[in-house]
Amino acid sequence: MRYLMSIITAGLFLITANSVLAEESSGSSDSEPLFIEFTPLSVSVIQRTRVAGFLSVAFNLVVENEEAAAHVERLRPRLRDAIVRILSRVANSRLDINRPVDVDLIRAYVQMAVDGVLGAEKARVLMETVSLQPA
């Protein structure tokens, strides 16, 4: 009888412990990063005073919580403007239409623009696609 009572007590303890762990793990899903999608941006590549091609960039921003996501949504127009300005500068000074585009270079410049608007390390840039097409 004593053996049976200890098995029942251990079983109840395990059931309780499992339900507490399940609640904790469901609560930790709130701390997963959030992805904010931006519509693809396109800028002209100007070489020798003419449009030589087009740079198209699609990316997402990764933030840590809902508050940061709301902040990004409030500043979305400023972010878009800053990113288009920096992409235009890069497209006209650092890119050659006859060579492959350096995705890491583009990501670094987009990250610099995002950091300039939001602050350092508030959001991380994840590149989806980068393409450089001749005109």
Side-chain angles (χ1 to χ4, degrees):
M1 183 71 162
R2 191 175 283 171
Y3 179 72
L4 183 60
M5 287 299 285
S6 61
I7 290 176
I8 292 173
T9 306
L12 289 174
F13 174 75
L14 289 175
I15 291 171
T16 306
N18 282 338
S19 66
V20 168
L21 288 175
E23 287 176 15
E24 287 179 3
S25 68
S26 68
S28 68
S29 67
D30 295 338
S31 65
E32 290 182 13
L34 300 171
F35 297 89
I36 301 169
E37 188 173 340
F38 276 72
T39 57
L41 303 173
S42 224
V43 295
S44 299
V45 178
I46 299 175
Q47 294 177 340
R48 298 186 197 108
T49 67
R50 68 176 187 85
V51 176
F54 302 96
L55 173 67
S56 297
V57 177
F59 64 95
N60 293 323
L61 291 183
V62 180
V63 295
E64 294 298 320
N65 54 39
E66 290 288 334
E67 183 180 324
H71 186 64
V72 168
E73 289 300 331
R74 279 193 306 274
L75 295 176
R76 187 181 283 264
R78 285 183 59 194
L79 281 167
R80 197 171 159 78
D81 181 56
I83 293 167
V84 166
R85 277 187 283 126
I86 205 159
L87 286 176
S88 292
R89 259 188 266 146
V90 170
N92 296 329
S93 64
R94 304 281 310 261
L95 298 182
D96 183 359
I97 199 69
N98 299 317
R99 295 199 172 159
V101 65
D102 184 0
V103 177
D104 290 332
L105 175 78
I106 301 299
R107 191 203 60 75
Y109 276 105
V110 172
Q111 184 69 57
M112 188 176 14
V114 168
D115 289 346
V117 173
L118 298 177
E121 299 181 16
K122 300 289 184 186
R124 191 169 36 117
V125 174
L126 290 179
M127 301 305 287
E128 276 187 33
T129 59
V130 177
S131 66
L132 187 58
Q133 301 294 324

